[in-house]
Amino acid sequence: MSLLITPLQGLVKQSLEPEWEAYMEANSYGFRPGRGCHDAIEAIFNNIRFKPKWVLDADIAKCFDKIDQSALLKKLNSTSPIRRQIRTWLKAGVMDQGTWQNTEAGTLQGGVISPLLANIALHGLEETVMELARTNKEKSKLTIVRYADDFVVMHDDRSMIERVKRAIDKWLKGIGLELKAEKTRISHTLAGEDSGFDFLGFNIRQYAVGKHRSGKLTNGTFLGFKTLIKPSDKSIRKHKERLSQIVRSHKSTPQSALIAKLNPVIRGWCNYFKTVVSKETYKDMDNYLWRLLWQWAKRRHPNKSDKWIANKYWTPTKEVKWNFIGKTKQKEEIELTQHAKTEIIRHVKVMGTASPFDGNLVYWSKRLRKSPDVSTRVINLLKRQDGKCELCGLTFRDGNKWEVDHIIPLTRKGKDWYSNLQLLHDYCHDYKSARDGSKGGRIHDKDDDTEEPDEVKVSRPVLKTSWPGDGLA
């Protein structure tokens, strides 16, 4: 993509997004400022926590490739120059392995504005579903939660779910899309062996339990089941594969280098799942990783005893017997991050149709400081600075990009301590760097180095890093 096109797409996106955010559907959470995966998961939990329901778990086939461009352009409530510019991008064509192909359908692949255009194209899906409910009582039972081209519809009557599926099929044809058959299924949150469903890397399911473990209604009545949201089996398997691959590829590297590679992966994965029931999964991950590391150490010293190997690579403490600790070239200790040490913090869903463009800076500033998508370092700096940029004094908002800056640059013997750090807007940081002559003063916050990936998407939804620096998706 041309270096000139990307900034222009950013400008068009900035002009369209505030308008569309004013009336975008409440239960749409993907690729929108101030919203993310955790909001979608919490919306699902709130809907089923007091009553089991039937669920349509669906995925749209090749959404970004097949959107009807004419239907999309018709939806755009914008001025002619903007409409013409977007049409030019949509019709620009692509070069694939030296072969030129026209783009008769779909949005820009990997473009800055592509996720917004996809949301605009899919706007109206929630309204179509809710029109099937004729009374307010029926509407209260019917809920759709959408994240980009993935969505779930919940209702306590299976026949309604089947009606919804047919209505969605018909509506999607109007914008050139269809449901992906192999990824679309109807399930129940409680009944049957195959109950529950996976969504955005989480497994949502209800379990029949006795009264001592049962959930309760607000009046204290026992429900007879417990709603639990955990990391999905697929997410667990992929994380194990990632850890195994890192350990295998560092057979002969120093212990400190292996730890430095593993830590950001562990932190990122744990941060993504720290808002749900993950404690047991974290413990299992630590046990799995211990076995990998023990094999790694035994392979390096085949003629040494188990006791010798344990003493060389593991340092016991009062809290943890097996601490995998190495030393860097500067003789500084670096400790392997343990999954189980991650604190579980319940996520609070974004309010209704609230948007970072609605002017409620107090709400968005406070919310930003509790976001699971932001690293611990940035959260601490936000609290210390009362949610404001130290240079310009303006309040940070969801969607802003920032830089963790050294007050006294490292090039001038500044220290990498909290007392020497401040959070600045990315453009404020560039201004400060130009003034004080520091070029290498940016920090890559390793807490946000990785994420739970979102399948078949052209953009990543959460924990998105803006290296150099930190940012929100």
Side-chain angles (χ1 to χ4, degrees):
M1 184 175 295
S2 169
L3 294 177
L4 295 176
I5 292 177
T6 300
L8 183 56
Q9 285 187 15
L11 288 173
V12 174
K13 180 175 181 286
Q14 287 180 15
S15 68
L16 288 176
E17 196 166 51
E19 176 193 358
W20 277 93
E21 279 296 313
Y23 51 84
M24 197 72 81
E25 292 165 327
N27 284 309
S28 166
Y29 298 97
F31 304 126
R32 291 181 59 190
R35 292 164 177 257
C37 295
H38 301 91
D39 295 304
I41 296 301
E42 192 66 17
I44 293 172
F45 175 78
N46 290 340
N47 187 256
I48 65 173
R49 62 186 301 187
F50 295 130
K51 189 172 185 178
K53 292 191 176 183
W54 288 96
V55 178
L56 171 65
D57 177 17
D59 185 281
I60 300 172
K62 298 183 178 180
C63 177
F64 290 91
D65 295 328
K66 291 188 174 182
I67 289 175
D68 187 306
Q69 295 179 352
S70 298
L72 171 59
L73 290 169
K74 190 178 295 184
K75 274 191 171 185
L76 286 172
N77 181 28
S78 59
T79 60
S80 295
I82 291 179
R83 195 195 305 267
R84 283 198 300 270
Q85 180 61 72
I86 292 176
R87 186 181 184 281
T88 301
W89 287 329
L90 293 175
K91 301 292 184 182
V94 294
M95 182 71 74
D96 184 19
Q97 297 180 350
T99 303
W100 179 260
Q101 297 179 0
N102 292 324
T103 48
E104 300 298 331
T107 61
L108 302 80
Q109 297 300 299
V112 173
I113 200 173
S114 182
L116 174 60
L117 295 179
N119 271 333
I120 293 173
L122 293 173
H123 179 70
L125 180 62
E126 182 175 342
E127 182 181 353
T128 299
V129 170
M130 297 309 293
E131 284 176 352
L132 297 176
R134 299 174 183 175
T135 65
N136 290 334
K137 185 177 181 179
E138 286 182 347
K139 287 183 178 180
S140 67
K141 296 179 180 179
L142 183 61
T143 302
I144 176 172
V145 175
R146 181 173 69 85
Y147 190 96
D149 57 346
D150 291 336
F151 63 90
V152 294
V153 183
M154 295 162 285
H155 195 273
D156 54 12
D157 186 352
R158 180 174 180 130
S159 62
M160 173 61 86
I161 292 295
E162 290 171 346
R163 285 176 57 200
V164 166
K165 184 176 181 296
R166 291 193 293 269
I168 290 176
D169 271 325
K170 182 179 179 181
W171 186 86
L172 287 175
K173 287 179 182 178
I175 54 173
L177 299 174
E178 61 182 359
L179 294 176
K180 185 182 292 184
E182 62 271 22
K183 286 196 173 184
T184 299
R185 60 187 286 262
I186 296 176
S187 61
H188 196 270
T189 57
L190 176 61
E193 294 182 1
D194 195 27
S195 62
F197 61 98
D198 291 348
F199 190 62
L200 301 178
F202 297 86
N203 177 259
I204 299 104
R205 186 179 175 184
Q206 292 169 324
Y207 301 80
V209 294
K211 68 176 184 179
H212 297 295
R213 298 186 62 191
S214 170
K216 297 179 183 179
L217 292 172
T218 53
N219 62 5
T221 303
F222 291 105
L223 296 171
F225 63 87
K226 190 80 171 179
T227 302
L228 297 180
I229 301 179
K230 305 176 181 179
S232 68
D233 290 342
K234 186 175 182 179
S235 298
I236 292 171
R237 184 171 62 253
K238 291 178 72 174
H239 186 51
K240 285 182 175 180
E241 290 172 356
R242 179 83 184 275
L243 296 176
S244 178
Q245 185 272 328
I246 292 173
V247 173
R248 287 198 309 269
S249 61
H250 288 73
K251 292 179 180 179
S252 58
T253 55
Q255 183 184 11
S256 59
L258 174 60
I259 294 173
K261 190 69 176 179
L262 286 170
N263 277 352
V265 176
I266 294 170
R267 290 192 194 108
W269 195 83
C270 289
N271 284 342
Y272 186 77
F273 291 107
K274 72 179 181 181
T275 62
V276 297
V277 185
S278 302
K279 269 298 181 186
E280 290 301 320
T281 303
Y282 288 164
K283 291 178 182 177
D284 291 342
M285 282 296 183
D286 284 332
N287 291 334
Y288 174 79
L289 184 54
W290 182 91
R291 292 193 295 270
L292 286 179
L293 295 175
W294 183 257
Q295 294 169 3
W296 174 85
K298 290 275 286 184
R299 192 183 299 112
R300 292 164 71 96
H301 307 283
N303 299 321
K304 297 293 184 180
S305 67
D306 289 353
K307 184 177 180 180
W308 185 93
I309 292 173
N311 289 334
K312 178 174 177 61
Y313 293 106
W314 281 270
T315 304
T317 63
K318 291 182 179 180
E319 296 81 14
V320 183
K321 183 179 179 180
W322 296 89
N323 272 334
F324 195 67
I325 300 177
K327 287 190 176 181
T328 65
K329 292 181 179 180
Q330 293 75 31
K331 305 301 180 182
E332 296 176 349
E333 287 190 346
I334 178 171
E335 180 179 350
L336 180 70
T337 298
Q338 296 186 21
H339 295 77
K341 286 187 176 180
T342 304
E343 183 182 1
I344 302 298
I345 302 173
R346 183 68 177 270
H347 179 70
V348 179
K349 190 182 81 70
V350 64
M351 290 192 308
T353 57
S355 164
F357 300 106
D358 59 17
N360 192 349
L361 295 181
V362 174
Y363 171 76
W364 289 105
S365 176
K366 289 181 179 179
R367 183 172 175 78
L368 196 59
R369 282 174 262 176
K370 297 179 181 179
S371 173
D373 298 346
V374 182
S375 69
T376 303
R377 189 206 298 260
V378 171
I379 287 174
N380 289 336
L381 291 174
L382 283 169
K383 289 179 180 177
R384 190 176 75 186
Q385 298 173 199
D386 197 26
K388 298 178 181 179
C389 173
E390 282 289 271
L391 191 61
C392 69
L394 296 178
T395 301
F396 286 109
R397 297 166 60 177
D398 266 347
N400 285 165
K401 290 185 178 181
W402 48 64
E403 303 287 353
V404 181
D405 173 69
H406 290 97
I407 299 172
I408 301 176
L410 296 176
T411 54
R412 298 183 182 177
K413 299 183 179 181
K415 302 296 183 181
D416 192 15
W417 297 338
Y418 265 112
S419 58
N420 191 43
L421 298 180
Q422 61 183 352
L423 197 64
L424 306 177
H425 289 106
D426 55 349
Y427 46 83
C428 291
H429 179 269
D430 291 340
Y431 174 77
K432 175 185 175 294
S433 298
R435 292 288 298 271
D436 61 23
S438 60
K439 294 183 179 179
R442 297 180 177 184
I443 299 175
H444 175 39
D445 197 314
K446 295 181 180 178
D447 285 356
D448 285 343
D449 191 73
T450 190
E451 64 181 59
E452 173 64 17
D454 193 31
E455 299 175 10
V456 295
K457 298 288 193 298
V458 297
S459 301
R460 302 197 302 176
V462 295
L463 303 181
K464 178 183 177 183
T465 54
S466 56
W467 164 252
D470 301 272
L472 278 177

